[in-house]
Amino acid sequence: MGIQDAIAGLSALLGHRLTRSKSDLDLHGRSESHFHDAPPDAVAYPETTREVAEIIRICVAEGCPVVGWGVGTSLEGQAQAFHGGVSVDFSRMNRVIEVNQEDMDVRLQPGVTREALNEELRATGLFFPIDPGANATLGGMASTRASGTTAVRYGTMRENVLGLEVVTAEGRIIRTGTRARKSSSGYDLTSLFVGAEGTLGLITELTLRLHGQPEAVASAVCAFPSVQDAVTTVIETIQMGLPVARIELMDRASIEAVNAFSGTNLPVMPHLLLEFHGSESGVKETSETFGDIAQEHGGTGFDRATRPEERTALWTMRHNAFYAILALRPGARAVVTDICVPVSRLAEAIEGTRADLEEAGVQGPILGHVGDGNFHAVLLLDEHDEDEMARARHVADQMVARALALGGTATGEHGIGVGKQRFMEAEHGDAWQLMGVLKQALDPGDILNPGKLVPPRN
Amino acid sequence: MGIQDAIAGLSALLGHRLTRSKSDLDLHGRSESHFHDAPPDAVAYPETTREVAEIIRICVAEGCPVVGWGVGTSLEGQAQAFHGGVSVDFSRMNRVIEVNQEDMDVRLQPGVTREALNEELRATGLFFPIDPGANATLGGMASTRASGTTAVRYGTMRENVLGLEVVTAEGRIIRTGTRARKSSSGYDLTSLFVGAEGTLGLITELTLRLHGQPEAVASAVCAFPSVQDAVTTVIETIQMGLPVARIELMDRASIEAVNAFSGTNLPVMPHLLLEFHGSESGVKETSETFGDIAQEHGGTGFDRATRPEERTALWTMRHNAFYAILALRPGARAVVTDICVPVSRLAEAIEGTRADLEEAGVQGPILGHVGDGNFHAVLLLDEHDEDEMARARHVADQMVARALALGGTATGEHGIGVGKQRFMEAEHGDAWQLMGVLKQALDPGDILNPGKLVPPRN
């Protein structure tokens, strides 16, 4: 019994769809973040749910770890094989099975990427709004409980997964949820698997809520004297119930980076970038009302972008902000922090982070999904400079400690993986132990993505 | 060891707040639905979370069942003590602890009722929109994953509970969630306890999302030639992204009942009742657009009610519809069914139910939260007529079978309790067994609301 026996069994099952080539192992051991490479012993490419079930049965019998793989964009090491074993790559399970236009839902396989889904939906008048930036797979996004710039309007994966097909550690295929919009029928297993990072089962199919492509879209950008002014504007906007679809913050350092990278000429001040979805007259009214609120809090240079090319330019700038920040220090490794606090405490959390960064001498422009209270400092680091890495780690720890003290969470959207396990006890207390009890009950052999999220076994 | 020893321990702990009076036991054994009375052996009135933890510790040690009690409005026997034991009545834990206006959230104890909360919020400009009809407690609403007429706009308890304090079967006090609007930090324990009907722990505190009181509210009512026409109107309304806050269906029989009860003179045709929340101009635009869509599908008598007294009259009529239906057959017992299907299948589900009712000779006007695909047939029955009760049960079974065949669920908002356990295998298959595994892991002694929701233990 062991990993090699499992690989023999998987090889018999999958033939050439079980690979051990060095390039493939290396690829599946990498992360977009700062974790060291951790390749699996083999990579499996299933094509059906039954094959996934068979893979898990073989691996459980042999005590071989199983790690799900979408496209490897997770940021906390979720998809890396720190204990070896088999990486289950869902790239061959990438079919959109059924679009139900009248019910505004879609059933699809976990390897479909966000962009591929929206391409497929283009002609239907519907779209899937959740946008974490990266072109992640929907299976991965569900497993990480991802969100992004549009969560303030459309929610996160938590609110947009109606149901799942999951292979459990017993190798059973179960279905959670239905296509009905709501249900009070038993434990909410869908929500249990969403965000479980593949530690309780592998998602083999998803049913997602879709949304109507808005009749009209408008964007706006506005500069503020301070982060506090920008945040106060956000709070009033949300309290008024203005239907903003995106409301993003960029701090001074981010704006400087973007100006240098994109050749823009924005004033070096905190900015809010917004998008409004609705009817023609609705978005006009909403953006004007927003403009009034912004002005009351010192907002200047309020600019509405209603033409598609202006909007595209604005959001391309936002999406490229990460690369713009990276370009500030060529060759640097970026560590992207991710805390989320009650919106009223956001300015405090950002200003505190800014002060910590200055004190530590670490460069870290700040970007935020400010409608949710979620923000990222993009720490630019020389990974060979141990002292700098230690100082950066200290800043990241302080960010989380502050988030928890302010009633927030260690991660708004990136998840736990191995990168944030050290904060779980502080955030959840005994509830983290309860997560371990659930893991033990559903995966007694600790086969599914071992070493991630839950407490270490005794 | 046993229930009597537990009661002795609880009596020592709680003094006069542990009662065994017949009237109190009878009250806590009743249900608003058709289940036979099942009084507990004692009723406990804790005042603090620590007392709840102590109650559970005593009961676990003695093997005494523990059943949570809000105000007893659940409809599937969730709060009745079919195995005896102690009913934990939360009426003394009814404090609103903290309203955070800027963050639009509230922390409160589980015994606060929906109406009491909104009364407390009146001056803040905020409100809690979920409205299951009955003036239930928030703890009960969370435990049942309740919703009601406004779910189409504001979601259900699933979407509006940010966090919980829960006492587990170990007597541990845990906290789930945070005040942040989103989080990817570990398993979604909040969602696991919401809808668990007190079988996994007792909720001792809730943090809820609030919403801004809308600047303007408008209502509308419209008659349709058929349920299909009404449903097609609903589908197009939702696909256009019109922000409806309520969209309710009443069938011909419900309209007849209401006319007789409220003295109204509505045409005896299927009706939609709507409410729009937004800005003055927004609700005007939305209701006009809705009027256009309705007209295309044969809608007649479209009537906008913008004055508060007109709106109140309309929704009072809707809220009284249950009593109006009851008045059709004085002395009858009402059994309220509750299925939810994808909206595109709603007309089929309703027409099928109507045909089944006619064939069975059972009276059952239909009301629906049609934006969610959720509807109720209110079966009017002579509970001493065994034959009629059997025919009604057959209709209810057919409703659920049809809901499942159409991709829906056995219960949109009433939950499982004991009333819908017989459908769990059909709806969830192996996933129901997995619910049993979770129950076993978190409550190995089967102390918490035994006999409800999960499969019977072997």
Side-chain angles (χ1 to χ4, degrees):
Chain A
M1 158 162 169
I3 290 177
Q4 296 314 317
D5 289 339
I7 288 172
L10 295 172
S11 202
L13 174 73
L14 298 169
H16 69 282
R17 291 188 282 110
L18 193 279
T19 78
R20 307 197 66 184
S21 77
K22 182 164 186 316
S23 63
D24 220 14
L25 300 183
D26 284 350
L27 177 70
H28 290 82
R30 273 187 217 131
S31 148
E32 291 204 356
S33 197
H34 57 288
F35 301 98
H36 68 80
D37 290 353
D41 293 288
V43 182
Y45 293 89
E47 291 180 341
T48 64
T49 298
R50 294 205 164 277
E51 282 185 350
V52 175
E54 199 52 44
I55 289 167
I56 289 188
R57 277 194 290 264
I58 290 169
C59 289
V60 167
E62 303 294 350
C64 171
V66 176
V67 186
W69 180 271
V71 287
T73 54
S74 59
L75 291 169
E76 298 295 352
Q78 284 97 333
Q80 290 177 277
F82 295 104
H83 295 257
V86 175
S87 178
V88 179
D89 182 315
F90 284 100
S91 56
R92 285 172 178 250
M93 289 178 71
N94 66 345
R95 205 158 47 83
V96 174
I97 300 166
E98 180 181 60
V99 178
N100 297 294
Q101 282 196 246
E102 290 200 309
D103 297 314
M104 300 169 67
D105 65 46
V106 61
R107 207 152 60 82
L108 46 74
Q109 292 184 308
V112 176
T113 65
R114 178 177 68 77
E115 289 178 6
L117 173 59
N118 279 322
E119 191 55 41
E120 183 116 0
L121 293 173
R122 202 170 297 275
T124 64
L126 302 172
F127 80 122
F128 186 69
I130 301 183
D131 175 4
N135 186 23
T137 62
L138 276 312
M141 286 168 63
S143 293
T144 317
R145 209 183 298 129
S147 49
T149 54
T150 60
V152 65
R153 169 76 178 260
Y154 297 100
T156 73
M157 290 303 283
R158 176 180 191 270
E159 285 80 27
N160 287 280
V161 179
L162 285 169
L164 296 170
E165 181 189 76
V166 175
V167 179
T168 68
E170 287 181 300
R172 282 202 210 190
I173 301 162
I174 64 163
R175 288 194 164 271
T176 74
T178 69
R179 286 184 50 238
R181 284 281 149 149
K182 66 182 192 185
S183 173
S184 288
S185 181
Y187 302 156
D188 184 356
L189 298 180
T190 304
S191 293
L192 185 63
F193 289 107
V194 169
E197 303 185 346
T199 62
L200 299 177
L202 285 184
I203 295 171
T204 49
E205 195 183 294
L206 304 92
T207 302
L208 305 176
R209 252 176 204 262
L210 300 174
H211 298 262
Q213 289 170 16
E215 179 194 327
V217 176
S219 293
V221 60
C222 191
F224 290 86
S226 71
V227 167
Q228 179 66 63
D229 292 317
V231 168
T232 305
T233 302
V234 170
I235 289 171
E236 288 189 16
T237 301
I238 291 174
Q239 280 192 329
M240 273 197 69
L242 285 194
V244 290
R246 305 183 202 244
I247 188 161
E248 298 282 304
L249 176 80
M250 298 177 72
D251 76 346
R252 286 182 187 80
S254 296
I255 294 292
E256 275 186 314
V258 161
N259 280 342
F261 187 78
S262 303
T264 46
N265 197 17
L266 297 165
V268 180
M269 299 165 73
H271 275 70
L272 290 180
L273 281 65
L274 293 98
E275 193 166 272
F276 309 100
H277 295 176
S279 65
E280 286 291 350
S281 57
V283 300
K284 183 164 184 296
E285 184 189 0
T286 305
S287 60
E288 284 170 2
T289 307
F290 172 79
D292 293 343
I293 299 172
Q295 202 174 15
E296 278 171 38
H297 299 288
T300 52
F302 175 67
D303 192 17
R304 287 179 64 211
T306 48
R307 285 183 301 139
E309 58 273 25
E310 291 171 334
R311 289 206 318 272
T312 304
L314 186 70
W315 292 106
T316 302
M317 181 190 85
R318 169 64 186 86
H319 269 123
N320 286 340
F322 177 71
Y323 302 101
I325 291 167
L326 266 184
L328 290 175
R329 186 175 179 183
R333 170 67 90 168
V335 172
V336 187
T337 61
D338 168 44
I339 64 170
C340 190
V341 297
V343 183
S344 69
R345 317 307 292 272
L346 187 60
E348 190 176 343
I350 291 176
E351 298 300 359
T353 300
R354 174 67 38 229
D356 289 344
L357 285 163
E358 276 167 24
E359 193 185 319
V362 171
Q363 203 172 0
I366 288 172
L367 301 164
H369 311 312
V370 68
D372 309 314
N374 182 205
F375 73 91
H376 313 293
V378 182
L379 310 183
L380 296 173
L381 305 168
D382 173 357
E383 62 189 322
H384 305 295
D385 181 341
E386 279 181 30
D387 182 64
E388 188 177 65
M389 292 300 281
R391 283 180 281 127
R393 190 179 164 100
H394 181 63
V395 170
D397 286 2
Q398 280 176 302
M399 281 180 75
V400 170
R402 187 177 292 110
L404 300 185
L406 297 176
T409 174
T411 167
E413 55 186 13
H414 293 174
I416 299 302
V418 295
K420 291 207 156 159
Q421 271 177 315
R422 69 185 190 277
F423 305 120
M424 290 297 275
E425 179 94 52
E427 177 163 345
H428 299 285
D430 280 350
W432 192 37
Q433 298 304 319
L434 194 142
M435 294 182 203
V437 171
L438 296 177
K439 166 75 169 170
Q440 170 84 42
L442 297 192
D443 178 22
D446 201 13
I447 294 305
L448 298 173
N449 215 0
K452 316 274 170 72
L453 197 151
V454 292
R457 296 242 174 131
N458 295 324
Chain B
M1 157 162 171
I3 290 177
Q4 297 314 316
D5 289 340
I7 289 173
L10 294 173
S11 202
L13 174 72
L14 298 169
H16 69 282
R17 290 188 283 110
L18 192 280
T19 78
R20 306 197 67 185
S21 78
K22 182 163 185 318
S23 62
D24 219 15
L25 299 184
D26 285 350
L27 176 71
H28 289 83
R30 273 187 217 131
S31 148
E32 292 204 356
S33 198
H34 57 289
F35 302 99
H36 68 79
D37 290 355
D41 293 289
V43 182
Y45 293 89
E47 291 180 341
T48 64
T49 298
R50 294 205 164 276
E51 282 184 350
V52 175
E54 198 52 44
I55 289 168
I56 289 188
R57 278 193 290 264
I58 289 168
C59 288
V60 167
E62 303 294 350
C64 172
V66 176
V67 186
W69 181 271
V71 287
T73 54
S74 59
L75 291 170
E76 299 293 353
Q78 285 97 335
Q80 289 177 279
F82 295 103
H83 296 256
V86 175
S87 178
V88 179
D89 182 316
F90 284 101
S91 56
R92 286 172 178 249
M93 291 178 70
N94 65 344
R95 205 158 45 84
V96 174
I97 300 165
E98 181 181 61
V99 178
N100 298 293
Q101 283 196 245
E102 290 199 309
D103 296 314
M104 299 170 67
D105 65 46
V106 60
R107 206 153 61 82
L108 46 74
Q109 291 185 308
V112 176
T113 66
R114 178 176 69 76
E115 289 178 7
L117 172 59
N118 280 321
E119 191 56 42
E120 183 115 0
L121 293 173
R122 202 170 298 274
T124 64
L126 302 172
F127 80 122
F128 186 69
I130 300 184
D131 175 3
N135 186 23
T137 62
L138 276 313
M141 286 169 62
S143 293
T144 316
R145 207 183 300 129
S147 49
T149 55
T150 59
V152 65
R153 169 76 179 260
Y154 297 100
T156 73
M157 290 304 282
R158 176 181 192 268
E159 286 78 29
N160 286 281
V161 179
L162 286 169
L164 296 170
E165 180 188 76
V166 175
V167 178
T168 69
E170 286 180 301
R172 282 201 209 191
I173 300 161
I174 63 163
R175 289 194 164 269
T176 74
T178 69
R179 283 185 53 238
R181 284 282 150 150
K182 66 181 193 186
S183 172
S184 288
S185 181
Y187 303 155
D188 185 356
L189 298 181
T190 305
S191 293
L192 185 63
F193 288 107
V194 170
E197 303 185 346
T199 62
L200 299 178
L202 285 184
I203 296 171
T204 48
E205 195 183 294
L206 303 92
T207 303
L208 304 176
R209 253 177 204 262
L210 300 174
H211 299 262
Q213 290 171 13
E215 179 193 329
V217 176
S219 294
V221 60
C222 191
F224 290 87
S226 70
V227 168
Q228 179 66 64
D229 291 317
V231 168
T232 305
T233 301
V234 170
I235 290 171
E236 288 188 17
T237 302
I238 291 173
Q239 281 193 328
M240 274 197 68
L242 285 194
V244 291
R246 306 184 202 243
I247 186 161
E248 297 282 300
L249 176 79
M250 297 176 74
D251 76 346
R252 285 181 188 83
S254 297
I255 294 292
E256 275 186 312
V258 160
N259 279 343
F261 188 79
S262 301
T264 46
N265 197 19
L266 297 165
V268 181
M269 299 165 73
H271 276 68
L272 290 179
L273 280 66
L274 292 98
E275 193 166 271
F276 309 100
H277 295 176
S279 66
E280 288 290 351
S281 58
V283 299
K284 185 162 181 295
E285 184 189 2
T286 304
S287 60
E288 284 170 1
T289 307
F290 171 79
D292 293 343
I293 298 172
Q295 203 174 16
E296 278 171 37
H297 298 287
T300 52
F302 175 69
D303 191 19
R304 288 180 62 212
T306 47
R307 285 182 303 139
E309 57 275 23
E310 292 170 333
R311 289 207 318 272
T312 303
L314 186 70
W315 293 107
T316 302
M317 181 190 81
R318 168 64 186 87
H319 269 125
N320 287 340
F322 177 71
Y323 302 101
I325 291 167
L326 266 185
L328 290 176
R329 186 175 179 183
R333 170 68 90 167
V335 172
V336 188
T337 62
D338 168 45
I339 64 170
C340 190
V341 297
V343 183
S344 69
R345 316 308 293 271
L346 186 59
E348 191 177 344
I350 291 175
E351 298 299 359
T353 301
R354 174 67 38 227
D356 288 345
L357 286 164
E358 277 167 24
E359 194 185 318
V362 171
Q363 203 173 0
I366 289 173
L367 301 164
H369 311 311
V370 68
D372 309 314
N374 182 205
F375 73 92
H376 312 294
V378 182
L379 310 183
L380 296 173
L381 305 168
D382 173 358
E383 62 189 322
H384 305 295
D385 180 341
E386 280 181 29
D387 182 65
E388 188 178 67
M389 292 300 282
R391 283 180 281 129
R393 189 178 164 103
H394 181 63
V395 170
D397 286 3
Q398 280 176 301
M399 282 181 73
V400 170
R402 186 177 293 110
L404 300 184
L406 296 175
T409 174
T411 167
E413 54 187 12
H414 293 173
I416 300 302
V418 294
K420 291 208 158 159
Q421 269 176 315
R422 68 184 189 279
F423 306 119
M424 290 297 276
E425 179 94 52
E427 177 163 346
H428 299 286
D430 280 351
W432 192 37
Q433 298 304 319
L434 193 142
M435 294 181 202
V437 171
L438 297 177
K439 167 73 171 172
Q440 170 83 43
L442 297 193
D443 178 22
D446 201 15
I447 294 305
L448 298 172
N449 214 0
K452 315 274 172 72
L453 196 152
V454 292
R457 297 246 172 125
N458 295 324

